[in-house]
Amino acid sequence: MWPKRPSPTWSPPDRLSMVVGSGVAWDFWRSLGSPRYVCAPMVDQSELAFRMLTRGMGVGLAYTPMLHARLFTEHEAYRSHTFDPELARRDRPLFAQLAGHDPAVLLEAGRLVQGKVDAVDINFGCPQVSTIRIHSYLSPVGG
């Protein structure tokens, strides 16, 4: 039997609020509209078209695919593939997942996504080999 779902007016316990800094995290969650369904980042799956498809099915919060911070700062094609200005209002709230090891590059990539996402998830290391390959739109035609 499934556990009973909390009511729409459910509030987190006070003890949890104290742990996350007097409810700051819950205030942020509420500022996003308290999304019930979240589409977590998936390797080679969380591109814009997939995010828009999931939003049509009720997803309230989506993640970008893992973005290689250095490539994101160096290649306009990589950035434009992730964000479409015409769909920007419909693709929110949105969290970006940036991967990298250089704090300065991560900061630069974070500044480039500023205003396009609601939060940034930093990934300092991922075991997925497919996340480190360079996508075809950065490769020469036929390469």
Side-chain angles (χ1 to χ4, degrees), residues 102-118:
D102 183 336
V105 174
L106 283 163
L107 178 61
E108 185 180 350
R111 287 183 173 144
L112 289 170
V113 299
Q114 190 172 3
K116 296 178 174 138
V117 298
D118 300 285

Side-chain angles (χ1 to χ4, degrees), residues 10 12-23 26:
W10 176 83
D14 288 338
R15 188 178 76 194
L16 181 61
S17 295
M18 292 185 325
V19 170
V20 294
S22 301
W26 286 109

Side-chain angles (χ1 to χ4, degrees), residues 41-62:
M42 295 178 288
V43 175
D44 290 336
Q45 299 299 317
S46 299
E47 280 76 11
L48 178 61
F50 182 76
R51 293 194 311 264
M52 297 311 294
L53 177 68
T54 62
R55 289 185 186 282
M57 301 173 96
V59 165
L61 167 63

Side-chain angles (χ1 to χ4, degrees), residues 74-107:
E74 294 174 356
H75 298 281
E76 173 61 31
Y78 191 48
R79 290 191 297 273
S80 64
H81 182 262
T82 305
F83 302 102
D84 182 339
E86 292 183 28
L87 295 175
R89 279 189 242 155
R90 291 180 25 214
D91 192 24
R92 296 298 278 275
L94 178 65
F95 288 7
Q97 186 181 60
L98 298 176
H101 65 278
D102 183 336
V105 174
L106 283 163
L107 178 61

